[in-house]
Amino acid sequence: MRQLNIEIRKMKLGDISRVLEIENYCFVSKWTEKDFLYELNDNPVSELCVAVCNEDGKEVIVGFLDYWHTFDSATISQIAVHPDYQRKGIATELLEDIISDCYNKKIPNLTLEVRKNNAKALSLYKKLGFKEVLVKPHYYSNGDDAIYMIYEVNINA
């Protein structure tokens, strides 16, 4: 597995077309440009970031993450890595960046929902220390169940 030199940065308006491309590769229920514009410009609790690498002197967006922070918790609403760049540690870097952000902001809990049948994502989340809390039956529009998971950020460390 070739490791890439990845930089995590805040998403910009000009990143939306590439993020939509990744979205279309990775999700069953896809967000639209309008959804991302809302998250980027109007949702006061949303934080969008992208993972970028340098290929032949050109910045390439290879993944993204959207999470919301409210009061004493944060929720990951989406995380995706382009299929050509999966299994290279990018999702781990995105998640570790968000965990670090939660630590710095003294947010003790980070939550997410993941499709019950998404074995790769479940394995990653468990490896990073997320714990399964409960199953949400028929959570997704196609009827798939979701597993609700939580990561307890050690804000006292």
Side-chain angles (χ1 to χ4, degrees), residues 27-78:
F27 291 107
V28 175
S29 301
K30 297 165 182 49
W31 281 16
T32 65
E33 181 176 3
K34 183 179 177 182
D35 296 323
F36 281 104
L37 286 171
Y38 172 77
E39 291 296 294
L40 193 59
N41 297 322
D42 300 319
N43 185 345
V45 299
S46 176
E47 296 276 344
L48 280 149
C49 59
V50 292
V52 296
C53 69
N54 188 304
E55 289 188 353
D56 301 322
K58 182 181 175 198
E59 180 183 85
V60 177
I61 296 171
V62 296
F64 71 92
L65 187 143
D66 182 18
Y67 78 107
W68 306 323
H69 56 92
T70 55
F71 305 108
D72 65 349
S73 71
T75 300
I76 295 171
S77 60
Q78 282 205 339

Side-chain angles (χ1 to χ4, degrees), residues 2 20 36 66-67 81 94-95 98-100 128 133 149:
R2 184 180 130 225
L20 281 168
F36 281 104
D66 182 18
Y67 78 107
V81 174
L94 282 162
L95 288 164
I98 298 312
I99 290 167
S100 176
L128 290 174
V133 177
M149 302 183 84

Side-chain angles (χ1 to χ4, degrees), residues 78-92:
Q78 282 205 339
I79 180 172
V81 174
H82 190 283
D84 292 345
Y85 297 89
Q86 291 178 0
R87 316 257 336 136
K88 297 182 187 312
I90 297 166
T92 299

